Amino acid sequence: MTMLETYKATLHGNKIEWKGETPKVSSNSTTDVFVTILDSESSSSKKNGKKMAEVLAELADLGGINSVDDASEW
C-alpha cells in the first residue's frame, strides 16, 4: 500500500496554486489527485469565537466558577 502525500494549495476556479512544498512530478506528465475542499479558516474561527463568547457570557451570568477562590493561583 502506498502512502498518500498531502500538499497545501488554494483552488482558483479550475487552477491549483501550491502553498509551500509542491509535489515532485514532471510538468510533461499527468498525475491523479484527490482534492478536499476545506471550510474557510477565517469563517470557522469566527464561528468558534462567537460560540466561545456566548459560553463565557453564560458562565459569567451564573456567577463564574465558584470553586476557584483565587483566579491568579488557578
Side-chain angles (χ1 to χ4, degrees):
M1 180 175 204
T2 303
M3 182 151 172
L4 299 177
E5 298 177 25
T6 302
Y7 300 92
K8 286 191 171 191
T10 302
L11 183 62
H12 298 277
N14 64 350
K15 307 267 189 222
I16 294 177
E17 175 187 353
W18 299 110
K19 305 285 185 182
E21 187 179 354
T22 60
K24 312 287 189 280
V25 295
S26 169
S27 61
N28 297 329
S29 67
T30 60
T31 303
D32 292 332
V33 298
F34 292 100
V35 176
T36 303
I37 305 298
L38 304 174
D39 288 338
S40 167
E41 289 180 27
S42 60
S43 67
S44 66
S45 295
K46 288 178 185 177
K47 290 177 189 173
N48 291 342
K50 183 178 179 184
K51 181 65 177 173
M52 185 184 305
E54 290 170 0
V55 170
L56 289 172
E58 289 176 23
L59 183 59
D61 289 344
L62 294 172
I65 302 172
N66 297 326
S67 63
V68 178
D69 293 327
D70 185 352
S72 65
E73 290 182 16
W74 183 55

